[in-house]
Amino acid sequence: MIEILSPTELDRAKEAGALVANILQTLKSRATVGTNLLDIDRWAKSMILEAGAVSCYVDYAPSFGRGPFGHYICTGVNDAVLHGLPRNYALADGDLLTLDLAVLKDGIAADSAISFIVGESKPSESVAMIDATERALRAGIAAARPGARIGDISYAIGSVLTDAGYPVNTEFGGHGIGSTMHQDPHVPNMGRPGRGYKLRPGLLLALEPWVMADTAQLVTDADGWTLRSVTGCRTAHSEHTIAITDGEAEILTLPTLAH
């Protein structure tokens, strides 16, 4: 299903996007050395419920997971890049943490992910990898104009990632979003320009470049959810929900709170 949102629905999407972004920034500010991933999940739950929103994750049970997910946020540490199931783990100095959050507010979903390094240690390879996903995300957003095609976005993202020297996995990528979290069209992180669905104003997309340092192959953790790099290398993931407009795409998941 591909949804085209009305102006009223887009206004609700902006509220959902700001909520997701603000929660992520709050959690980033609290994620210090010694913070437990289960505490991050509890904080996310509290903020979602306080805002009158609904988690997109708690009851999520797709074919690729051992569902339902049962938690409110995805927490990936170091080699865990996607669908990180919160667990009893205390963050250490230099850990690369990815937080991925999606909520439904007033009937519209928004989805975003950030990667950052905890503590004072900042390994240069990790910093560069996070930067590559953020640059790829910006490139994908710049390509998301009315009349362009999904392949144009995928090509822009993939070009940045491959130029930075990272293998690209196309099994999991971006997606349409609206009244539900995951919709068509699929937006792989590598593609051919001029191919795929033509973008129209009112379309919402969640773009999410993610990479693993030295492999494109994933392995599923024993928890049935967390996807890790098969080599144990570090990973990074950046994501925004955007709206296609008559001109430049609008980023919906930008924080409005100061931290």
Side-chain angles (χ1 to χ4, degrees):
M1 175 176 68
I2 297 178
E3 291 182 349
I4 301 298
L5 272 63
S6 69
T8 300
E9 290 171 325
L10 283 172
D11 286 339
R12 303 209 306 268
K14 293 175 185 178
E15 293 182 9
L19 174 62
V20 167
N22 289 338
I23 291 175
L24 285 175
Q25 289 304 309
T26 299
L27 294 175
K28 179 180 180 180
S29 70
R30 294 183 183 179
T32 57
V33 174
T35 299
N36 195 293
L37 298 183
L38 294 177
D39 287 331
I40 292 175
D41 186 56
R42 283 192 287 268
W43 296 334
K45 175 183 178 180
S46 176
M47 286 184 279
I48 291 169
L49 297 182
E50 183 179 346
V54 177
S55 167
C56 292
Y57 293 160
V58 171
D59 298 322
Y60 187 49
S63 59
F64 55 78
R66 188 187 300 161
F69 188 75
H71 290 269
Y72 287 78
I73 191 168
C74 295
T75 56
V77 180
N78 297 332
D79 65 330
V81 66
L82 298 173
H83 314 152
L85 195 72
R87 58 192 173 93
N88 183 20
Y89 174 80
L91 293 168
D93 186 53
D95 274 348
L96 197 165
L97 176 62
T98 295
L99 301 178
D100 189 350
L101 179 67
V103 305
L104 191 74
K105 183 165 172 53
D106 297 328
I108 303 295
D111 191 1
S112 183
I114 56 175
S115 289
F116 56 95
I117 300 169
V118 177
E120 298 300 320
S121 177
K122 307 293 182 186
S124 59
E125 297 87 353
S126 297
V127 172
M129 185 163 48
I130 294 170
D131 177 70
T133 64
E134 292 175 347
R135 287 188 289 110
L137 182 55
R138 290 194 295 269
I141 293 169
R145 292 175 172 269
R149 295 184 179 272
I150 292 297
D152 298 318
I153 297 175
S154 298
Y155 177 76
I157 290 172
S159 295
V160 173
L161 298 179
T162 54
D163 286 351
Y166 298 106
V168 179
N169 175 297
T170 55
E171 182 181 2
F172 294 95
H175 51 89
I177 188 170
S179 61
T180 57
M181 174 174 59
H182 283 157
Q183 299 180 357
D184 291 329
H186 174 58
V187 189
N189 286 327
M190 180 181 289
R192 297 176 64 183
R195 301 295 182 93
Y197 181 79
K198 184 181 287 188
L199 308 182
R200 297 167 51 191
L203 175 69
L204 261 59
L205 297 173
L207 306 184
E208 46 183 313
W210 59 273
V211 292
M212 300 176 282
D214 61 17
T215 183
Q217 188 174 350
L218 293 163
V219 61
T220 303
D221 193 81
D223 64 21
W225 273 102
T226 305
L227 295 177
R228 300 182 183 276
S229 59
V230 71
T231 61
C233 68
R234 285 195 164 195
T235 65
H237 178 194
S238 297
E239 178 180 15
H240 273 311
T241 294
I242 65 170
I244 306 302
T245 71
D246 291 324
E248 295 182 355
E250 183 175 1
I251 304 173
L252 303 184
T253 44
L254 290 175
T256 59
L257 297 178
H259 285 284

Short mmCIF file of all heavy atoms in Angstrom, two decimals, residues 28-63:
data_model
loop_
_atom_site.label_atom_id
_atom_site.label_comp_id
_atom_site.label_asym_id
_atom_site.label_seq_id
_atom_site.Cartn_x
_atom_site.Cartn_y
_atom_site.Cartn_z
N LYS A 28 19.49 10.46 23.89
CA LYS A 28 20.92 10.63 23.61
C LYS A 28 21.61 11.36 24.75
O LYS A 28 22.71 10.99 25.17
CB LYS A 28 21.12 11.39 22.29
CG LYS A 28 22.58 11.62 21.93
CD LYS A 28 22.72 12.37 20.62
CE LYS A 28 24.18 12.60 20.27
NZ LYS A 28 24.35 13.33 18.99
N SER A 29 20.96 12.40 25.28
CA SER A 29 21.56 13.17 26.36
C SER A 29 21.67 12.35 27.65
O SER A 29 22.54 12.62 28.49
CB SER A 29 20.74 14.44 26.62
OG SER A 29 19.48 14.14 27.19
N ARG A 30 20.80 11.36 27.81
CA ARG A 30 20.82 10.52 29.02
C ARG A 30 21.71 9.29 28.89
O ARG A 30 22.03 8.65 29.89
CB ARG A 30 19.40 10.07 29.34
CG ARG A 30 18.44 11.18 29.73
CD ARG A 30 17.08 10.58 30.10
NE ARG A 30 16.09 11.62 30.41
CZ ARG A 30 14.84 11.35 30.74
NH1 ARG A 30 14.42 10.10 30.82
NH2 ARG A 30 13.99 12.34 30.99
N ALA A 31 22.08 8.94 27.66
CA ALA A 31 22.83 7.70 27.42
C ALA A 31 24.32 7.94 27.69
O ALA A 31 25.09 8.30 26.79
CB ALA A 31 22.62 7.22 25.99
N THR A 32 24.70 7.75 28.92
CA THR A 32 26.08 7.96 29.33
C THR A 32 26.69 6.62 29.74
O THR A 32 26.02 5.58 29.77
CB THR A 32 26.14 8.94 30.51
OG1 THR A 32 25.34 8.43 31.58
CG2 THR A 32 25.61 10.30 30.10
N VAL A 33 27.98 6.64 30.02
CA VAL A 33 28.66 5.41 30.46
C VAL A 33 27.95 4.86 31.70
O VAL A 33 27.70 5.58 32.67
CB VAL A 33 30.14 5.70 30.76
CG1 VAL A 33 30.81 4.47 31.36
CG2 VAL A 33 30.86 6.13 29.49
N GLY A 34 27.60 3.59 31.64
CA GLY A 34 26.89 2.95 32.74
C GLY A 34 25.39 2.86 32.56
O GLY A 34 24.72 2.12 33.29
N THR A 35 24.84 3.61 31.60
CA THR A 35 23.40 3.55 31.34
C THR A 35 23.02 2.17 30.82
O THR A 35 23.69 1.63 29.93
CB THR A 35 22.98 4.61 30.32
OG1 THR A 35 23.30 5.91 30.83
CG2 THR A 35 21.49 4.54 30.03
N ASN A 36 21.95 1.60 31.36
CA ASN A 36 21.49 0.29 30.91
C ASN A 36 20.50 0.45 29.76
O ASN A 36 19.66 1.36 29.76
CB ASN A 36 20.82 -0.44 32.08
CG ASN A 36 20.63 -1.92 31.81
OD1 ASN A 36 19.86 -2.33 30.95
ND2 ASN A 36 21.34 -2.75 32.57
N LEU A 37 20.59 -0.43 28.77
CA LEU A 37 19.69 -0.37 27.62
C LEU A 37 18.23 -0.51 28.05
O LEU A 37 17.33 0.07 27.43
CB LEU A 37 20.03 -1.46 26.62
CG LEU A 37 21.42 -1.40 25.98
CD1 LEU A 37 21.58 -2.52 24.95
CD2 LEU A 37 21.69 -0.05 25.33
N LEU A 38 17.98 -1.26 29.10
CA LEU A 38 16.61 -1.43 29.58
C LEU A 38 16.08 -0.13 30.18
O LEU A 38 14.87 0.14 30.11
CB LEU A 38 16.53 -2.57 30.59
CG LEU A 38 16.81 -3.96 30.03
CD1 LEU A 38 16.77 -5.01 31.14
CD2 LEU A 38 15.81 -4.33 28.92
N ASP A 39 16.96 0.69 30.75
CA ASP A 39 16.54 2.00 31.24
C ASP A 39 16.15 2.90 30.06
O ASP A 39 15.16 3.64 30.14
CB ASP A 39 17.66 2.66 32.04
CG ASP A 39 17.84 2.02 33.41
OD1 ASP A 39 16.85 1.49 33.96
OD2 ASP A 39 18.97 2.03 33.93
N ILE A 40 16.92 2.85 28.99
CA ILE A 40 16.59 3.63 27.79
C ILE A 40 15.21 3.23 27.28
O ILE A 40 14.39 4.09 26.92
CB ILE A 40 17.66 3.43 26.70
CG1 ILE A 40 18.99 4.05 27.14
CG2 ILE A 40 17.21 4.02 25.37
CD1 ILE A 40 20.14 3.80 26.18
N ASP A 41 14.91 1.94 27.28
CA ASP A 41 13.61 1.47 26.84
C ASP A 41 12.50 1.99 27.76
O ASP A 41 11.44 2.43 27.29
CB ASP A 41 13.60 -0.06 26.81
CG ASP A 41 12.32 -0.62 26.23
OD1 ASP A 41 11.97 -0.25 25.09
OD2 ASP A 41 11.65 -1.42 26.92
N ARG A 42 12.74 1.97 29.05
CA ARG A 42 11.73 2.46 30.00
C ARG A 42 11.51 3.97 29.83
O ARG A 42 10.37 4.45 29.90
CB ARG A 42 12.15 2.14 31.44
CG ARG A 42 11.91 0.69 31.83
CD ARG A 42 12.08 0.49 33.33
NE ARG A 42 13.48 0.55 33.74
CZ ARG A 42 14.27 -0.52 33.82
NH1 ARG A 42 13.80 -1.72 33.52
NH2 ARG A 42 15.53 -0.40 34.21
N TRP A 43 12.59 4.71 29.63
CA TRP A 43 12.44 6.15 29.40
C TRP A 43 11.63 6.42 28.13
O TRP A 43 10.78 7.31 28.11
CB TRP A 43 13.81 6.80 29.30
CG TRP A 43 14.63 6.73 30.55
CD1 TRP A 43 14.16 6.62 31.84
CD2 TRP A 43 16.05 6.76 30.64
NE1 TRP A 43 15.21 6.58 32.72
CE2 TRP A 43 16.39 6.66 32.03
CE3 TRP A 43 17.09 6.85 29.71
CZ2 TRP A 43 17.71 6.67 32.46
CZ3 TRP A 43 18.41 6.84 30.16
CH2 TRP A 43 18.71 6.77 31.52
N ALA A 44 11.93 5.66 27.07
CA ALA A 44 11.19 5.83 25.81
C ALA A 44 9.70 5.55 26.03
O ALA A 44 8.83 6.31 25.58
CB ALA A 44 11.75 4.91 24.74
N LYS A 45 9.39 4.47 26.73
CA LYS A 45 8.00 4.13 27.02
C LYS A 45 7.30 5.27 27.74
O LYS A 45 6.18 5.67 27.36
CB LYS A 45 7.93 2.86 27.87
CG LYS A 45 6.53 2.50 28.32
CD LYS A 45 6.52 1.28 29.22
CE LYS A 45 5.11 0.95 29.70
NZ LYS A 45 5.10 -0.26 30.58
N SER A 46 7.94 5.81 28.76
CA SER A 46 7.34 6.88 29.55
C SER A 46 7.04 8.11 28.69
O SER A 46 5.95 8.69 28.79
CB SER A 46 8.28 7.25 30.70
OG SER A 46 7.77 8.34 31.44
N MET A 47 7.99 8.50 27.85
CA MET A 47 7.80 9.70 27.03
C MET A 47 6.75 9.49 25.96
O MET A 47 5.98 10.40 25.63
CB MET A 47 9.14 10.13 26.43
CG MET A 47 10.07 10.77 27.44
SD MET A 47 11.60 11.40 26.72
CE MET A 47 12.55 9.88 26.61
N ILE A 48 6.68 8.30 25.38
CA ILE A 48 5.67 7.99 24.37
C ILE A 48 4.27 8.06 24.98
O ILE A 48 3.36 8.71 24.44
CB ILE A 48 5.92 6.60 23.75
CG1 ILE A 48 7.19 6.61 22.90
CG2 ILE A 48 4.73 6.17 22.89
CD1 ILE A 48 7.66 5.22 22.48
N LEU A 49 4.10 7.41 26.11
CA LEU A 49 2.79 7.38 26.74
C LEU A 49 2.39 8.76 27.26
O LEU A 49 1.21 9.15 27.16
CB LEU A 49 2.78 6.36 27.88
CG LEU A 49 3.02 4.90 27.46
CD1 LEU A 49 2.95 3.98 28.67
CD2 LEU A 49 2.03 4.46 26.39
N GLU A 50 3.34 9.50 27.79
CA GLU A 50 3.05 10.85 28.29
C GLU A 50 2.56 11.76 27.18
O GLU A 50 1.73 12.66 27.41
CB GLU A 50 4.29 11.44 28.95
CG GLU A 50 4.08 12.81 29.57
CD GLU A 50 5.35 13.35 30.23
OE1 GLU A 50 6.29 12.58 30.43
OE2 GLU A 50 5.37 14.56 30.53
N ALA A 51 3.04 11.54 25.96
CA ALA A 51 2.64 12.36 24.81
C ALA A 51 1.33 11.90 24.19
O ALA A 51 0.86 12.50 23.21
CB ALA A 51 3.75 12.34 23.76
N GLY A 52 0.74 10.83 24.73
CA GLY A 52 -0.50 10.32 24.17
C GLY A 52 -0.29 9.61 22.84
O GLY A 52 -1.22 9.49 22.04
N ALA A 53 0.92 9.12 22.62
CA ALA A 53 1.26 8.42 21.38
C ALA A 53 1.25 6.91 21.62
O ALA A 53 1.09 6.44 22.75
CB ALA A 53 2.61 8.87 20.86
N VAL A 54 1.43 6.16 20.55
CA VAL A 54 1.42 4.70 20.59
C VAL A 54 2.72 4.18 20.00
O VAL A 54 3.16 4.64 18.93
CB VAL A 54 0.21 4.14 19.81
CG1 VAL A 54 0.24 2.61 19.79
CG2 VAL A 54 -1.10 4.64 20.39
N SER A 55 3.33 3.23 20.66
CA SER A 55 4.54 2.60 20.13
C SER A 55 4.23 1.78 18.88
O SER A 55 3.23 1.06 18.83
CB SER A 55 5.17 1.69 21.19
OG SER A 55 6.16 0.86 20.61
N CYS A 56 5.08 1.90 17.88
CA CYS A 56 4.95 1.06 16.69
C CYS A 56 5.64 -0.29 16.87
O CYS A 56 5.56 -1.15 15.99
CB CYS A 56 5.54 1.76 15.47
SG CYS A 56 4.63 3.22 14.92
N TYR A 57 6.33 -0.47 17.99
CA TYR A 57 7.19 -1.64 18.17
C TYR A 57 6.64 -2.71 19.10
O TYR A 57 6.88 -3.90 18.88
CB TYR A 57 8.56 -1.21 18.73
CG TYR A 57 9.42 -0.39 17.81
CD1 TYR A 57 10.45 0.39 18.31
CD2 TYR A 57 9.21 -0.38 16.43
CE1 TYR A 57 11.26 1.14 17.49
CE2 TYR A 57 10.00 0.38 15.60
CZ TYR A 57 11.03 1.14 16.13
OH TYR A 57 11.83 1.88 15.32
N VAL A 58 5.94 -2.32 20.16
CA VAL A 58 5.59 -3.27 21.22
C VAL A 58 4.89 -4.51 20.66
O VAL A 58 5.24 -5.64 20.99
CB VAL A 58 4.71 -2.60 22.29
CG1 VAL A 58 4.16 -3.64 23.25
CG2 VAL A 58 5.52 -1.58 23.07
N ASP A 59 3.92 -4.31 19.79
CA ASP A 59 3.16 -5.43 19.24
C ASP A 59 3.62 -5.83 17.84
O ASP A 59 2.98 -6.65 17.19
CB ASP A 59 1.66 -5.08 19.19
CG ASP A 59 1.09 -4.82 20.58
OD1 ASP A 59 1.49 -5.53 21.51
OD2 ASP A 59 0.25 -3.91 20.72
N TYR A 60 4.74 -5.28 17.40
CA TYR A 60 5.22 -5.52 16.04
C TYR A 60 5.71 -6.96 15.92
O TYR A 60 6.56 -7.41 16.68
CB TYR A 60 6.35 -4.54 15.73
CG TYR A 60 6.84 -4.55 14.30
CD1 TYR A 60 5.95 -4.48 13.24
CD2 TYR A 60 8.20 -4.60 14.02
CE1 TYR A 60 6.41 -4.46 11.93
CE2 TYR A 60 8.67 -4.57 12.72
CZ TYR A 60 7.77 -4.50 11.68
OH TYR A 60 8.22 -4.49 10.40
N ALA A 61 5.17 -7.69 14.95
CA ALA A 61 5.51 -9.11 14.80
C ALA A 61 5.61 -9.48 13.32
O ALA A 61 4.79 -10.25 12.80
CB ALA A 61 4.47 -9.97 15.50
N PRO A 62 6.62 -8.98 12.59
CA PRO A 62 6.79 -9.32 11.18
C PRO A 62 7.38 -10.72 11.01
O PRO A 62 7.82 -11.34 11.98
CB PRO A 62 7.76 -8.25 10.68
CG PRO A 62 8.60 -7.97 11.89
CD PRO A 62 7.67 -8.08 13.07
N SER A 63 7.42 -11.17 9.78
CA SER A 63 7.91 -12.52 9.50
C SER A 63 9.38 -12.69 9.83
O SER A 63 9.83 -13.80 10.14
CB SER A 63 7.68 -12.85 8.02
OG SER A 63 8.37 -11.91 7.19
#
